[in-house]
Amino acid sequence: MIKHHPQEALLLAHAKGELPLSMAIAVSAHCTLCAKCTAIVAALTEQEAQATLSAGSPEDRVTASETDMTLVPDPLPRELQAMLAHIFSQPEANVIPSHAPISLSVRTTTYSIPAVFRQHLTRPWQQLGKVCRMRFDVDELNTRASLLHIDALGEIPQHTHKGYELTLLLAGEFTDINGEYVPGDFILLDNQTHHAPKTKTGCLCYTVLDAPLHFTKGLSKLLNPIGELIY
């Protein structure tokens, strides 16, 4: 069961279309996996729509009687009628709905992930040991958004954050000092957290960072001087 969800303020900003792309992707993907947050966003969207409609001035409102008129269309030319008849006689295309999950293969594993990622899987995977990363092009100054795959028995060295780190677990499992996470968990951390995520069976995550990680233990601390290049 999903235990970690976006705060309602974040869901409200998503409903109002105010989130940057990197975070909007995360909230959309979480809602695909979480019926509870989907219902909240739907209610907030309806609330915002009603507020927008009720805010209109009397001069902006048009009654049905003011717009009620009967329009008689001109007959279509025979050639156009024939073309339309031919088009509509064709069998329906087997189109996959845009909201359908998509497949993603990483090394030897294939995952089913939310459709919100469909337009962003344009870059190659970068591999380092048991970790693979596909960085997204979100064009948000210092923000980095990526898919992160960790093989079975993989681990990210202990670190804290100079900014915030969002992790949305899409598949598999991982654990850290705060417990165990399941698909759909939306984990937002700041510089108060020191952790070393590790997985027994492997996992796929979507991550967003606005500053480099700061490694705090062992040889991984040697990476801190080049943190700006690798986060």
Side-chain angles (χ1 to χ4, degrees), residues 130-148:
K130 289 181 175 291
V131 178
C132 293
R133 179 181 68 184
M134 180 190 292
R135 180 167 287 167
F136 288 6
D137 182 10
V138 293
D139 192 22
E140 294 174 14
L141 297 178
N142 295 324
T143 298
R144 303 286 188 268
S146 309
L147 284 177
L148 192 71

Side-chain angles (χ1 to χ4, degrees), residues 66-79:
E66 292 175 308
T67 59
D68 186 18
M69 59 183 69
T70 302
L71 299 178
V72 180
D74 294 328
L76 295 174
R78 289 184 180 180
E79 294 82 0

Side-chain angles (χ1 to χ4, degrees), residues 60-216:
D60 295 330
R61 299 170 188 157
V62 179
T63 65
S65 61
E66 292 175 308
T67 59
D68 186 18
M69 59 183 69
T70 302
L71 299 178
V72 180
D74 294 328
L76 295 174
R78 289 184 180 180
E79 294 82 0
L80 184 54
Q81 291 183 38
M83 183 179 69
L84 290 176
H86 175 73
I87 291 172
F88 289 126
S89 69
Q90 302 303 306
E92 292 186 7
N94 185 19
V95 178
I96 300 175
S98 60
H99 59 271
I102 58 177
S103 294
L104 176 71
S105 296
V106 190
R107 289 184 172 173
T108 60
T109 306
T110 299
Y111 297 100
S112 178
I113 62 174
V116 68
F117 295 107
R118 188 185 305 274
Q119 304 299 322
H120 302 284
L121 306 178
T122 59
R123 295 189 174 184
W125 288 97
Q126 301 170 316
Q127 300 185 14
L128 180 62
K130 289 181 175 291
V131 178
C132 293
R133 179 181 68 184
M134 180 190 292
R135 180 167 287 167
F136 288 6
D137 182 10
V138 293
D139 192 22
E140 294 174 14
L141 297 178
N142 295 324
T143 298
R144 303 286 188 268
S146 309
L147 284 177
L148 192 71
H149 178 263
I150 307 177
D151 287 341
L153 303 179
E155 180 176 357
I156 303 296
Q158 182 173 298
H159 62 273
T160 186
H161 314 94
K162 292 184 178 181
Y164 72 81
E165 177 190 64
L166 164 69
T167 301
L168 173 65
L169 180 56
L170 297 171
E173 52 72 36
F174 74 87
T175 60
D176 66 9
I177 192 173
N178 297 311
E180 183 173 343
Y181 303 98
V182 301
D185 274 336
F186 186 101
I187 309 115
L188 190 58
L189 303 176
D190 59 19
N191 59 10
Q192 301 300 310
T193 301
H194 292 248
H195 68 152
K198 55 186 176 182
T199 175
K200 294 179 181 178
T201 61
C203 65
L204 178 70
C205 303
Y206 172 67
T207 65
V208 181
L209 300 93
D210 68 343
L213 303 181
H214 182 75
F215 296 101
T216 57

Side-chain angles (χ1 to χ4, degrees), residues 4-101:
H4 303 274
H5 305 267
Q7 293 183 348
E8 186 164 329
L10 202 57
L11 295 177
L12 176 59
H14 182 64
K16 296 169 69 173
E18 296 176 347
L19 292 180
L21 177 59
S22 59
M23 193 62 71
I25 291 171
V27 176
S28 292
H30 171 79
C31 288
T32 299
L33 302 171
C34 177
K36 175 183 176 182
C37 287
T38 297
I40 293 174
V41 169
L44 291 172
T45 301
E46 177 65 20
Q47 173 184 305
E48 287 301 306
Q50 293 297 328
T52 300
L53 289 173
S54 62
S57 64
E59 293 78 9
D60 295 330
R61 299 170 188 157
V62 179
T63 65
S65 61
E66 292 175 308
T67 59
D68 186 18
M69 59 183 69
T70 302
L71 299 178
V72 180
D74 294 328
L76 295 174
R78 289 184 180 180
E79 294 82 0
L80 184 54
Q81 291 183 38
M83 183 179 69
L84 290 176
H86 175 73
I87 291 172
F88 289 126
S89 69
Q90 302 303 306
E92 292 186 7
N94 185 19
V95 178
I96 300 175
S98 60
H99 59 271

